[in-house]
Amino acid sequence: MPRSNSSDNKASPPTPPHAEYVFTISADITVPKSAGAGVNGERKHIAIVGGTLSGPGIQGQILPGGSDWLWQRPDGCAEVQAHYTVEIDDGTLVYVKNYGLRVAPKHTRLAMQAGEAVDPQAYYFRSSPVFDVPDGPHQWLREHIFVATLAPRASGVLIEVFCIR
């Protein structure tokens, strides 16, 4: 059995986290292509063809060539796995891996798929982006945990990113 250190009993509790807005990603996408329905649901490929990153002190462009591999599960939930590159205005390339979950009732999913405007309160759509960035002024992106809220729009998705401090 490990021995307890009496000084551990005097340690302060961890600081509770809080979310701080850092930037918005507006990703342009193509119409999803279905790989077909299967026993585990339907896999969809969604090409990411451009867009922007904009926030206080940081601006950039999404480079074409990214992809989102959405898995529409039989229970109605959708798992998102997006991979793409952002070029910050100073030339820094940032590889983004964004893993998320969308939960919506069937009528809401059908409205979203039809391109109809849907109240963001009618569904749950969150993600946890991870940023691969070189040493330098933007390395803070790889040194923190982030969460995001997502909202579909006519030709893409709007992603508001928050740093967990």
Side-chain angles (χ1 to χ4, degrees):
M1 174 185 274
R3 294 171 54 190
S4 95
N5 183 340
S6 63
S7 65
D8 288 345
N9 295 334
K10 297 177 184 176
S12 298
T15 303
H18 70 276
E20 178 183 312
Y21 170 80
V22 288
F23 48 76
T24 298
I25 297 172
S26 179
D28 300 329
I29 61 174
T30 62
V31 174
K33 292 183 179 183
S34 176
V39 68
N40 293 319
E42 179 184 12
R43 178 69 70 182
K44 295 181 181 180
H45 174 251
I46 305 165
I48 300 169
V49 296
T52 59
L53 180 149
S54 179
I58 189 167
Q59 307 291 319
Q61 299 293 316
I62 297 174
L63 300 181
S67 292
D68 179 1
W69 289 94
L70 184 142
W71 174 33
Q72 184 63 58
R73 300 183 336 206
D75 65 359
C77 296
E79 293 184 20
V80 174
Q81 293 185 24
H83 297 253
Y84 52 97
T85 302
V86 174
E87 183 172 4
I88 304 298
D89 282 355
D90 66 4
T92 302
L93 296 179
V94 180
Y95 171 48
V96 182
K97 296 180 283 184
N98 201 359
Y99 303 101
L101 182 68
R102 185 188 71 211
V103 181
K106 186 173 184 176
H107 68 278
T108 301
R109 286 194 318 273
L110 293 174
M112 292 167 114
Q113 291 169 354
E116 298 174 19
V118 176
D119 180 357
Q121 299 297 316
Y123 59 90
Y124 175 88
F125 200 1
R126 303 290 185 266
S127 71
S128 182
V130 176
F131 304 97
D132 181 355
V133 59
D135 292 344
H138 306 294
Q139 74 185 46
W140 63 274
L141 288 167
R142 69 168 193 246
E143 296 170 344
H144 290 84
I145 300 291
F146 296 86
V147 295
T149 60
L150 297 87
R153 55 184 180 82
S155 62
V157 63
L158 196 62
I159 305 165
E160 292 197 339
V161 179
F162 299 82
C163 182
I164 303 301
R165 303 261 185 208

